[in-house]
Amino acid sequence: MSFNSVFLLFFVAFVALLVAGGWITRKWVTGSNDYFIAGREVGLLVNIFGVAAIGFAGTIITLGPGLAIMTGFWGSFGFGLIYGIGGLALYGLIFAPYIRRSGAHTLSEWLEMRFDKRTRTLVTVATILGLLGIMANNVMSMAIVTTSFTGWPLLATLSAIFAMFLLFTYIGGFWAVTLTDFMQMVIGLIALPVMLIAIISKFGGLSTATSGWPGPGSYWTSGIAGGELPILSLQYPSVLTFSILFACFLVWGNNYYWLRVSSTRSERTAKLSFVFGALLLVLVPITVLAFTGLYAGSVMGDQFLPYGTVDPTAAFGVVLRTLPIVIAAFALLGALAASISTSTTALIGASSTAVRDLYQRYVRPNATSKELKVPSKVITMILGLVVWLLCFYPGGPLYLFAFSTAWLGAPSILVFLGMWWKRTTKTGAFYGAVVGISATAVFTVLDLTGVFPLGTYTHVGVVGLLATVLTTVIVSLLTQPDYYAREGFEGATDMTNSFSDEEKRVLTYIHYGYDTMAEISDMLGVDSSVSNKIIEDLDQRHVIGRKKYSGPGFYTFHIREDIEPDAYLPEGSHRYAADRLTENDFTFLEKLRGGMDALNSYVKEKEFDSLHASAILSKLIKQGYLAEKGLWRRHVTLSPQGKEVLEKYNFSSDPIKPELQQTPAGG
């Protein structure tokens, strides 16, 4: 069989797999909360593969072998370490706990919580543009690679790819993306090692490959033309510019990594999935692609610039041409799967921001998650079609990808400063974003048009970084900080026991163990910017306190000891107070006597929002009443402590009365 026939068989099977994934997950989507963050149910192993799948993309496939040819093995592997460890793993360790506790579905939503609406709106537009640029470049690049092998028409190939991932994304949303990310990463983890084994079988061991290295230096640190990867150079590529672009900008300021955290079952799952996902990415795709570049440079070095005519970034395709048809077709499918995985995640990242931060805020502010389900799907389709059109704009994908650095650079700086420097002010953040985005965009245009060749001096990302940091810090120091950064705040004692109904509700949640912003927002069923205003008011009046005023502890709360429970707890709510259980908490435990199906039937009957139910389960797990498992969807069972508390109340002389059971909104 020809290469085209084999690849077509693989491709059709792959399409069927993706569509099946979308079809399976469609029933898991009851509203926009399921569509965009999977109801906060994604487990550890699935998210590990999801994080790694985002990184295993078209950029890695081209830059991995290409950098090995241009700068040696450590240039390529170093790039992977910077992205994997400096970007993903560090994101999991220092950002994920904070993000998960904040409850914000999107990065832009958090910007309003921490700063204000104008910063949220500005970054929302910037995020959408940046993600569309990444998506357009990624899909177009892989379509070009595919057509170069198959000879298929570019328009037909590109359209087929778009139709495929738009269909399953439309059907199942983030659940479909998560499921297919898992499958796509499995394909990649098989395809790349098989490809490397085939390369070794054809050309011999590493000693054979390195003996033909044409460069004047060592293949470890020098490219085929003697090029090396500098460390502190302001010009691209270097370790410094890699760190700015591929660790800071493209990870820390990227909404789809934020979604990966928001969708997890717990803070622990979020943190560990990024750390292990980074290690998986470094150990398999990055390592294999670096060695692929070594073989390409050694065995076929005369084909690449400056000796030949082929750009080193095309090394992956050049190597595939030398392998057996079945292996080459499977490896190309793995690359295509990786590209689609990242593109669909970028699409969900852009559409979630458009729905949550634009449509819901300005068009339907009072819409429920269920009412937003159809608009979410429609907006996802519209954005997908926009990207499809942008791929055909002259120079579109390249220009858009260059601009994406500008759009994602400023948010990454604001995220870091906003989380860890409490002196960052609303005004400083807004003008930092304006100046950072504007400076990067302007210099990108000047550089691409040749008016001012900035690239001969430094990379535009360095300009964006300095502009954002300096503006944010200077303006913040010159303007009034938030209340918690003012001198003497923590020593004040102006408390009051007069509370509104909303404040009583929030205090009741905290009293019973719903003590993070994520849990409070999910129980209230509101945007976290709404619950944040209530929390800030209570905090300023010293009714509640935060665990810390920077880092993850910023979104963990406790009620001050001087506040009497009678001031906020509703009458008759003390039935299970000794065990920190609400009526709904206890009902969930009771239903679980009949298993997960019984609980799901109850949740459906009472029309609990998925995040409301998830918050109750998470709290009960945290308190030790439930044990958690489940590869895909969360599956919980009663722990010994849970069985004990049920026995304690069910066998008392005061049985549960149906009229005391509250509605879902009652918490």
Side-chain angles (χ1 to χ4, degrees):
M1 296 178 68
S2 67
F3 176 88
N4 281 10
S5 299
V6 174
F7 180 73
L8 183 59
L9 287 175
F10 284 153
F11 185 74
V12 170
F14 178 60
V15 171
L17 194 65
L18 295 186
V19 174
W23 186 255
I24 291 171
T25 56
R26 80 193 191 286
K27 60 184 178 182
W28 301 351
V29 179
T30 60
S32 62
N33 291 331
D34 297 312
Y35 194 77
F36 288 130
I37 60 170
R40 301 200 201 276
E41 280 198 61
V42 178
L44 179 60
L45 181 61
V46 173
N47 214 49
I48 289 173
F49 275 54
V51 170
I54 297 173
F56 179 35
T59 303
I60 293 287
I61 291 168
T62 55
L63 282 184
L67 283 170
I69 293 173
M70 292 185 287
T71 63
F73 177 85
W74 285 112
S76 173
F77 193 72
F79 159 75
L81 283 178
I82 289 169
Y83 170 70
I85 306 303
L88 298 178
L90 200 60
Y91 189 81
L93 292 173
I94 70 173
F95 292 104
Y98 182 102
I99 293 169
R100 186 60 181 81
R101 291 191 206 183
S102 77
H105 292 203
T106 65
L107 187 157
S108 300
E109 180 181 336
W110 172 79
L111 287 171
E112 180 176 350
M113 294 171 62
R114 179 62 177 84
F115 302 118
D116 53 25
K117 290 182 179 179
R118 59 181 180 171
T119 305
R120 177 178 184 173
T121 302
L122 174 65
V123 173
T124 293
V125 175
T127 297
I128 293 172
L129 291 173
L131 293 178
L132 293 183
I134 292 173
M135 185 177 169
N137 181 77
N138 199 40
V139 174
M140 189 63 173
S141 298
M142 287 314 302
I144 292 172
V145 171
T146 302
T147 56
S148 68
F149 275 86
T150 61
W152 297 342
L154 180 61
L155 176 60
T157 303
L158 187 65
S159 300
I161 293 173
F162 262 99
M164 174 180 56
F165 76 72
L166 277 179
L167 177 60
F168 79 80
T169 304
Y170 176 84
I171 295 173
F174 195 80
W175 267 123
V177 171
T178 298
L179 179 61
T180 52
D181 275 356
F182 188 88
M183 295 186 293
Q184 289 159 358
M185 195 62 196
V186 169
I187 292 173
L189 290 176
I190 297 173
L192 287 185
V194 168
M195 181 188 74
L196 184 59
I197 292 171
I199 292 172
I200 294 173
S201 298
K202 182 175 181 63
F203 299 110
L206 184 61
S207 59
T208 303
T210 54
S211 64
W213 193 253
S218 168
Y219 59 86
W220 291 112
T221 58
S222 177
I224 61 173
E228 297 181 354
L229 183 68
I231 297 176
L232 297 178
S233 173
L234 295 177
Q235 291 179 287
Y236 179 88
S238 69
V239 171
L240 177 61
T241 54
F242 278 168
S243 300
I244 293 172
L245 296 175
F246 298 107
C248 178
F249 284 13
L250 289 182
V251 178
W252 300 359
N254 198 321
N255 191 56
Y256 55 66
Y257 289 112
W258 190 286
L259 290 180
R260 277 287 166 200
V261 174
S262 297
S263 66
T264 56
R265 297 173 187 173
S266 66
E267 180 182 320
R268 176 181 177 275
T269 298
K271 180 169 63 176
L272 293 181
S273 61
F274 272 82
V275 174
F276 292 141
L279 293 175
L280 178 62
L281 185 68
V282 170
L283 290 175
V284 182
I286 287 172
T287 301
V288 170
L289 291 171
F291 277 110
T292 300
L294 287 189
Y295 275 94
S298 180
V299 179
M300 300 164 248
D302 58 345
Q303 297 185 38
F304 299 104
L305 296 172
Y307 307 115
T309 58
V310 179
D311 191 292
T313 57
F316 183 82
V318 172
V319 171
L320 287 190
R321 294 181 188 278
T322 67
L323 302 180
I325 289 175
V326 174
I327 294 176
F330 189 49
L332 181 59
L333 179 68
L336 181 62
S339 175
I340 291 174
S341 168
T342 304
S343 299
T344 52
T345 307
L347 177 59
I348 284 292
S351 56
S352 64
T353 301
V355 172
R356 185 85 174 178
D357 303 308
L358 293 179
Y359 181 81
Q360 186 174 13
R361 288 181 67 210
Y362 297 111
V363 181
R364 299 187 64 186
N366 298 319
T368 64
S369 172
K370 186 175 293 186
E371 291 169 341
L372 289 172
K373 178 180 175 181
V374 173
S376 298
K377 290 188 172 187
V378 172
I379 289 173
T380 298
M381 290 293 290
I382 291 173
L383 291 179
L385 293 174
V386 169
V387 173
W388 182 81
L389 293 172
L390 288 173
C391 286
F392 297 100
Y393 187 79
L398 294 177
Y399 277 81
L400 284 171
F401 187 70
F403 270 116
S404 69
T405 302
W407 308 137
L408 301 180
S412 68
I413 304 302
L414 297 185
V415 167
F416 182 82
L417 292 176
M419 288 182 183
W420 298 101
W421 189 42
K422 65 181 182 180
R423 188 63 178 76
T424 310
T425 67
K426 296 176 175 63
T427 307
F430 176 72
Y431 284 105
V434 170
V435 174
I437 291 173
S438 300
T440 316
V442 168
F443 279 104
T444 297
V445 172
L446 294 177
D447 192 32
L448 290 174
T449 57
V451 174
F452 178 71
L454 180 69
T456 59
Y457 305 100
T458 186
H459 191 275
V460 68
V462 177
V463 175
L465 175 69
L466 293 176
T468 305
V469 171
L470 291 176
T471 303
T472 304
V473 171
I474 292 173
V475 175
S476 292
L477 292 174
L478 295 175
T479 52
Q480 182 82 336
D482 285 321
Y483 67 90
Y484 46 79
R486 297 172 194 167
E487 187 176 350
F489 163 71
E490 294 188 53
T493 57
D494 53 333
M495 296 180 293
T496 177
N497 283 354
S498 177
F499 308 114
S500 67
D501 290 342
E502 280 188 330
E503 289 172 337
K504 287 181 179 180
R505 198 173 170 192
V506 168
L507 290 170
T508 299
Y509 287 142
I510 297 174
H511 177 88
Y512 283 108
Y514 297 94
D515 56 4
T516 67
M517 185 68 81
E519 292 169 329
I520 292 170
S521 297
D522 292 348
M523 293 296 287
L524 292 174
V526 297
D527 188 289
S528 285
S529 63
V530 175
S531 50
N532 184 66
K533 291 177 182 177
I534 301 172
I535 288 292
E536 288 195 341
D537 183 62
L538 293 170
D539 190 20
Q540 290 183 72
R541 291 156 53 195
H542 290 268
V543 176
I544 65 169
R546 301 178 191 259
K547 189 173 182 180
K548 288 185 178 180
Y549 280 85
S550 64
F554 189 75
Y555 289 121
T556 301
F557 317 113
H558 62 271
I559 300 173
R560 305 267 183 178
E561 294 181 358
D562 294 337
I563 305 300
E564 294 295 331
D566 289 341
Y568 55 83
L569 288 177
E571 288 186 31
S573 64
H574 300 279
R575 180 173 177 78
Y576 313 110
D579 295 288
R580 298 182 72 202
L581 293 171
T582 68
E583 295 282 355
N584 274 334
D585 294 342
F586 194 82
T587 301
F588 268 48
L589 293 177
E590 275 205 313
K591 295 300 179 182
L592 281 168
R593 275 179 166 170
M596 198 69 191
D597 289 340
L599 176 62
N600 288 335
S601 297
Y602 174 75
V603 167
K604 186 176 182 180
E605 175 191 346
K606 296 296 183 180
E607 297 185 344
F608 276 82
D609 178 78
S610 60
L611 293 188
H612 190 123
S614 178
I616 294 175
L617 293 177
S618 295
K619 198 268 288 194
L620 292 173
I621 292 167
K622 181 171 62 176
Q623 290 178 321
Y625 293 116
L626 298 177
E628 178 185 53
K629 59 182 179 179
L631 176 64
W632 293 108
R633 307 202 68 183
R634 174 155 49 190
H635 186 89
V636 295
T637 55
L638 291 169
S639 67
Q641 185 179 340
K643 294 176 182 177
E644 183 180 320
V645 79
L646 280 176
E647 188 171 328
K648 171 182 176 182
Y649 288 102
N650 277 347
F651 288 90
S652 68
S653 58
D654 186 15
I656 298 174
K657 299 176 182 179
E659 61 268 21
L660 290 180
Q661 295 299 326
Q662 299 179 4
T663 63

